[in-house]
Amino acid sequence: PSRTFHGNNRLLTSQIISYYESINQYKKELPEYFNFASDVLDEWARLEKDGRKPANPAFWWVNDKGEEVKWSFEELGSLSRKAANVLSEACGLQRGDRVMAVLPRVPEWWLLNVACMRAG
């Protein structure tokens, strides 16, 4: 039974921990190596290209002036592969390295994040 805390109907910490532990008991098989960029984004790009998934933007950015940038899954994949190659080859980035990107929240910031995922 749920008890209220200071008049709110929120779960108590002990209930949250109990719920978290019950979720962790579910043992899902995870691949040894998983890369969101190549395992998910590239797969969605392939499904769109084959016509098995409707074409939707993978990335849709709008600034405060109403300017938009839209990238398909194929475009995001291509751009992130190029950026990952620059990071890996020209900058010497290796799997497990830490990266700090100091950019405003512009499309290139998001692209750099996907490229870093792709590079490992």
Side-chain angles (χ1 to χ4, degrees):
S2 177
R3 294 187 342 219
T4 61
F5 183 72
H6 292 287
N8 293 324
N9 289 326
R10 290 190 266 168
L11 293 174
L12 297 173
T13 303
S14 62
Q15 292 170 310
I16 294 170
I17 292 170
S18 172
Y19 180 68
Y20 179 76
E21 288 171 352
S22 69
I23 291 172
N24 279 334
Q25 290 175 4
Y26 175 71
K27 303 291 185 208
K28 182 174 179 159
E29 289 186 33
L30 298 174
E32 184 176 354
Y33 300 102
F34 174 77
N35 186 300
F36 181 79
S38 58
D39 294 338
V40 177
L41 294 179
D42 291 350
E43 177 64 16
W44 288 346
R46 189 181 64 74
L47 291 172
E48 276 188 0
K49 190 174 184 179
D50 293 346
R52 294 190 294 152
K53 182 181 184 317
N56 289 310
F59 178 83
W60 189 351
W61 178 85
V62 181
N63 70 9
D64 57 353
K65 296 175 187 171
E67 300 166 333
E68 296 182 346
V69 173
K70 285 185 186 180
W71 290 327
S72 68
F73 285 96
E74 189 172 351
E75 289 170 317
L76 182 57
S78 175
L79 291 170
S80 66
R81 277 189 289 280
K82 289 177 184 178
N85 285 338
V86 169
L87 292 171
S88 299
E89 295 171 12
C91 300
L93 183 70
Q94 296 178 10
R95 182 177 300 278
D97 285 351
R98 291 183 172 94
V99 175
M100 183 173 97
V102 181
L103 291 169
R105 297 286 173 106
V106 293
E108 293 79 8
W109 185 87
W110 297 97
L111 176 62
L112 183 60
N113 277 285
V114 175
C116 286
M117 284 184 241
R118 189 176 293 284

